[in-house]
């Protein structure tokens, strides 16, 4: 027996849209697992299941008027032994055997199951792009009229697209949506709209005729026409249309709701136009990304999204006014399944990040506390285990965080991880920690340049790699920074003091220690607090040209006693080619022996455009 005291609890969620998404096109999951996924959603007081039912790799819903959608389009050749983006096409005469679909009876059963748990299912039928699987059975609705095959793996650019100049295309889509709408009592129908390659529209006579006849500006406006025409039909069925943020291109449909995945800017633009928005930016909501050190994790599509970062998510942008903020309905976690072939891995990738997002969407920001969350998660993990959920326990990576105490005028280093009450072993003598090393108990005072290494052991076994940071104890530590040009909010590093906190970024530009500028020059002033002799000054920059990250053209240093007039200018030019391959770090160092100064201005000239 468990005694429970008599209490009154008054609680309500901050956001009305608290969702989880699942892609069943890349890999098909059985009906029983879809129910379990809904159970996990409901368990965390989330209320939306966004069911991604169609895409290039398979059609997953029975449409009685078009049986070939499930007879042909639901199946592809089995290439599961090959890397996703290197899968070979079908051989002549080879039978497509990998896939599956949900019958309409399955759908009805699952919808009822979700309703009983207060979860609303939002179906997604992709258009006008991500629709190549359809043309394996119904090529007449494409621009080329050529029969394709269901793609067994990665497909880019996804150039096969519905013909927007053919009225029969819209009849076909409306027939499909009519059956979908009959099956799902949801308020919304999601029609995709993302990553629509318009190459075929540019070549298609019917599409070009449509553009000229309607006096459209270009293919973007043709996509807008396409979405608006579908929205008109959806509204006629008493439903509302949702699309990914690309539906903004060429003009937004009158009553459409935007799902913002390419960052927050699409959602901000839609909210400013008085459209409802669901936020799901990849940096916070893509649960197909790695959640811990890739070396210790099952293969994923890429990216890096920890439990802690999900918990730090704020779905409502500060740039919106109070009226515009009302259009932010909430957010959802997206689980794309290119690298998730089975239910166990879906659970592993979704949980516990789903738990963090659930709390973000239920609780007011002022009531959220990371330390409280991971403490409660320690108990919740036992609950998940009892429900036979194959969760990831989080990242065992140790974060090494610098903190300057302005009162004590001392530098301290804090060590923590996503694991509650983890024993963190550390060294400050550049050796690797072992189980005999000192255990972290309180912030470590640092008074000289030091290499700090830290890690977690469980049952004498190293969990993830040893974290290592070199703290360079320099004269600017504890100083102040004035940004004449602020860093880009997407690349904040450790915040305002990032350039002078004593820590250098690693060759992993996602490590959180690099501060970035997007098209702007770096321009800031460091205040050392008093006139100080300086021998040299150095700033480190990172380049990874394949990721569009480049060294500055040059770095300029100048010095001042009063913060107004700057002299003794030193310019260090970049001598490394912008197109050089690899993960590169360069120190732009100027020797300035005998200078005494209080203020140092650092300017770094951005290249502005990526080299062709």
């Amino acid at each position: 027996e468990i005694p429970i005291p008599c209490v009154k609890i008054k609680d309500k969620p901050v956001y009305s849209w608290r969702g989880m998404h699942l892609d069943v096109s890349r890999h098909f999951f059985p009906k029983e697992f879809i129910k379990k996924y809904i159970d996990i959603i409901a368990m965390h007081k989330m209320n939306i299941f966004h069911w991604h039912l169609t895409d290039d790799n398979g059609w997953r819903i029975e449409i009685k008027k078009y049986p070939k959608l499930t007879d042909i389009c639901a199946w592809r050749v089995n290439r599961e032994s090959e890397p996703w983006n290197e899968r070979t096409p079908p051989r002549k005469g080879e039978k497509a055997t990998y896939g599956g679909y949900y019958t309409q009876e399955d759908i009805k059963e699952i919808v009822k199951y979700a309703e009983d748990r207060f979860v609303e299912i939002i179906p997604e039928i992709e258009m006008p792009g991500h629709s190549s699987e359809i043309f394996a059975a119904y090529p007449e609705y494409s621009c080329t009229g050529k029969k394709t095959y269901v793609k067994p793996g990665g497909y880019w650019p996804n150039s096969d697209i519905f013909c927007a100049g053919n009225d029969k295309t819209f009849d076909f889509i409306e027939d499909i949506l009519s059956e979908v709408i009959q099956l799902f009592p949801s308020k919304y129908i999601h029609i995709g709209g993302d990553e629509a390659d318009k190459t075929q529209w540019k070549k298609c006579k019917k599409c070009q005729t449509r553009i000229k006849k309607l006096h459209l500006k270009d293919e973007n406006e043709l996509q807008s026409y396409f979405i608006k025409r579908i929205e008109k039909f959806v509204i006629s069925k008493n439903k509302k249309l949702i699309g990914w943020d690309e539906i903004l291109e060429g003009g937004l449909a009158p009553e459409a709701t935007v799902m913002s995945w390419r960052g927050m800017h699409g959602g901000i633009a839609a909210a400013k136009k008085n459209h409802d928005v669901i936020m799901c930016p990849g940096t916070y909501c893509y649960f197909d990304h790695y959640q811990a050190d890739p070396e210790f994790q099952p293969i994923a599509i890429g990216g890096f999204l920890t439990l802690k970062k999900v918990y730090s998510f704020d779905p409502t942008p500060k740039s919106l006014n109070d009226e515009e903020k009302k259009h932010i309905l909430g957010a959802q976690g997206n689980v794309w399944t290119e690298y998730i072939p089975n239910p166990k891995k879906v659970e592993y990738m979704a949980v516990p990040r789903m738990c963090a997002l659930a709390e973000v969407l239920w609780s007011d920001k002022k009531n959220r506390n990371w330390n409280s969350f991971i403490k409660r998660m320690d108990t919740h993990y036992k609950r998940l285990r009892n429900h036979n959920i194959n969760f990831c326990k989080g990242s065992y990576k140790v974060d090494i965080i610098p903190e300057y105490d302005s009162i004590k005028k001392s530098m301290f280093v804090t060590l923590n991880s996503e694991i509650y009450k983890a024993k963190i072993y550390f060294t400050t003598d550049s050796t690797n920690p072992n189980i005999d090393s000192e255990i972290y108990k309180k912030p470590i005072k640092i008074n000289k340049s030091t290499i700090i290494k830290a890690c977690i052991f469980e049952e004498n076994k190293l969990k993830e790699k040893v974290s290592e940071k070199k703290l360079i104890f320099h004269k600017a530590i504890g100083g102040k920074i004035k940004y004449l040009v602020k860093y880009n909010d997407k690349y904040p590093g450790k915040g305002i003091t990032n350039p002078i906190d004593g820590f250098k970024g690693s060759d992993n530009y996602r490590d959180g220690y690099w501060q970035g500028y997007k098209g702007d020059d770096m321009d800031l002033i460091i205040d050392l607090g008093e006139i100080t002799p300086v021998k040299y000054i150095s700033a480190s920059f990172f380049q990874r040209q394949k990721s569009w990250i480049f060294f500055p053209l040059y770095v300029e240093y100048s010095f001042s006693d009063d913060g107004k007039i700057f002299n003794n200018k030193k310019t260090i030019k970049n001598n490394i080619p912008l197109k050089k391959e690899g993960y590169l770090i360069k120190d732009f160092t100027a020797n300035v022996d005998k200078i005494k100064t209080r203020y140092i201005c650092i300017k770094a000239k951005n290249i502005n455009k990526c080299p062709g």
Side-chain angles (χ1 to χ4, degrees), residues 45-56:
K45 292 199 281 192
M46 301 179 96
N47 63 343
I48 300 292
F49 171 37
H50 173 179
W51 203 358
H52 187 83
L53 288 161
T54 73
D55 214 305
D56 299 307

Side-chain angles (χ1 to χ4, degrees), residues 262-278:
R262 295 178 302 173
M264 306 280 273
H265 55 276
I268 292 170
K272 286 183 177 293
K273 294 177 180 178
N274 296 317
H275 286 262
D276 289 342
V277 173
I278 296 109

Side-chain angles (χ1 to χ4, degrees), residues 67 165 186 215 225 307 330 379 428 476 509 518 540 548 576 595 603:
S186 57
H215 306 291
Y225 160 80
L307 182 67
T379 301
T428 56
Y509 62 90
K518 193 174 180 180
S540 298
W548 299 354
I576 297 176
I595 283 181
K603 296 182 179 181

Side-chain angles (χ1 to χ4, degrees), residues 6 43 80 87 177 310 361 395 450 519 541:
C6 293
M43 178 183 182
E80 294 306 294
R87 294 185 171 181
L177 291 179
V310 175
L361 297 174
S395 175
T450 304
F541 291 82

Side-chain angles (χ1 to χ4, degrees), residues 91-110:
R91 295 182 291 274
K92 188 175 181 180
E94 185 179 10
K95 191 174 181 181
T97 58
Y98 189 89
Y101 63 92
Y102 306 98
T103 67
Q104 293 200 0
E105 289 306 309
D106 290 336
I107 299 285
K108 291 173 185 176
E109 183 181 333
I110 291 168

Side-chain angles (χ1 to χ4, degrees), residues 481-540:
I481 292 183
K482 179 182 179 181
Y483 286 88
L484 303 178
V485 177
K486 191 177 179 243
Y487 51 85
N488 189 276
D489 288 338
K490 288 185 178 180
Y491 315 103
K494 296 298 179 185
I496 292 173
T497 60
N498 191 83
I500 58 172
D501 64 9
F503 282 84
K504 292 180 71 171
S506 69
D507 59 4
N508 173 12
Y509 62 90
R510 297 187 181 96
D511 68 2
Y513 289 88
W514 288 104
Q515 206 167 71
Y517 292 79
K518 193 174 180 180
D520 295 318
D521 298 336
M522 174 180 171
D523 194 352
L524 57 83
I525 296 172
I526 298 171
D527 179 0
L528 300 177
E530 59 185 14
I531 301 293
T532 304
V534 176
K535 288 186 177 181
Y536 71 91
I537 181 168
S538 184
S540 298

Side-chain angles (χ1 to χ4, degrees), residues 132-361:
S132 66
E133 83 287 7
I134 293 170
F135 309 135
Y138 300 97
E140 61 268 30
Y141 302 116
S142 70
C143 286
T144 65
K146 294 180 181 178
K147 194 172 186 179
T148 61
Y149 58 88
V150 181
K151 305 300 183 289
Y155 170 51
W156 192 261
N158 53 334
S159 55
D160 291 300
I161 192 169
F162 276 117
C163 180
N166 183 357
D167 285 327
K168 290 182 179 179
T169 296
F170 293 95
D171 294 337
F172 175 72
I173 293 171
E174 289 174 8
D175 287 341
I176 290 170
L177 291 179
S178 293
E179 292 195 32
V180 171
I181 287 167
Q182 285 293 318
L183 290 168
F184 292 93
S186 57
K187 180 179 178 181
Y188 298 92
I189 298 293
H190 200 304
I191 53 82
D194 62 310
E195 299 178 330
D197 186 289
K198 302 173 180 70
T199 303
Q200 290 185 8
W201 280 0
K202 292 177 181 179
K203 300 176 182 177
C204 176
K205 291 181 181 179
K206 290 180 180 179
C207 289
Q208 290 303 310
T209 298
R210 179 88 74 189
I211 288 173
K212 291 173 185 175
K213 185 177 179 180
L214 298 178
H215 306 291
L216 304 176
K217 182 180 177 181
D218 54 19
E219 287 72 28
N220 283 335
E221 286 198 1
L222 182 60
Q223 174 163 314
S224 178
Y225 160 80
F226 188 107
I227 301 299
K228 287 175 181 177
R229 183 164 171 175
I230 296 299
E231 184 192 48
K232 188 176 180 181
F233 173 77
V234 168
I235 290 172
S236 75
K237 299 290 186 178
N238 297 314
K239 300 286 187 179
K240 294 191 72 174
L241 180 144
I242 298 180
W244 302 106
D245 56 61
E246 284 94 332
I247 66 172
L248 286 157
E249 296 168 5
L252 192 55
E255 298 180 36
T257 297
V258 171
M259 196 166 269
S260 190
W261 72 279
R262 295 178 302 173
M264 306 280 273
H265 55 276
I268 292 170
K272 286 183 177 293
K273 294 177 180 178
N274 296 317
H275 286 262
D276 289 342
V277 173
I278 296 109
M279 289 293 191
C280 51
T283 48
Y284 292 98
C285 296
Y286 269 47
F287 295 173
D288 55 335
H289 290 179
Y290 283 106
Q291 54 197 314
D293 190 327
E295 188 175 318
F296 294 79
Q297 291 292 300
I299 189 169
I301 198 167
F304 191 69
L305 176 56
T306 64
L307 182 67
K308 189 173 185 178
K309 185 158 186 178
V310 175
Y311 195 79
S312 72
F313 180 42
D314 184 358
T316 303
K318 295 176 182 177
S319 59
L320 299 178
N321 63 36
D322 288 344
E323 281 302 309
E324 291 163 348
K325 286 177 180 178
K326 292 177 183 177
H327 288 290
I328 307 300
L329 303 182
Q332 70 179 31
N334 291 342
V335 182
W336 301 100
T337 61
E338 286 92 337
Y339 293 85
I340 305 178
N342 58 65
K344 284 293 183 185
K345 193 170 180 184
V346 172
E347 294 172 18
Y348 186 84
M349 299 303 285
V351 184
R353 288 183 288 192
M354 181 194 297
C355 311
L357 184 61
E359 187 154 314
V360 165
L361 297 174

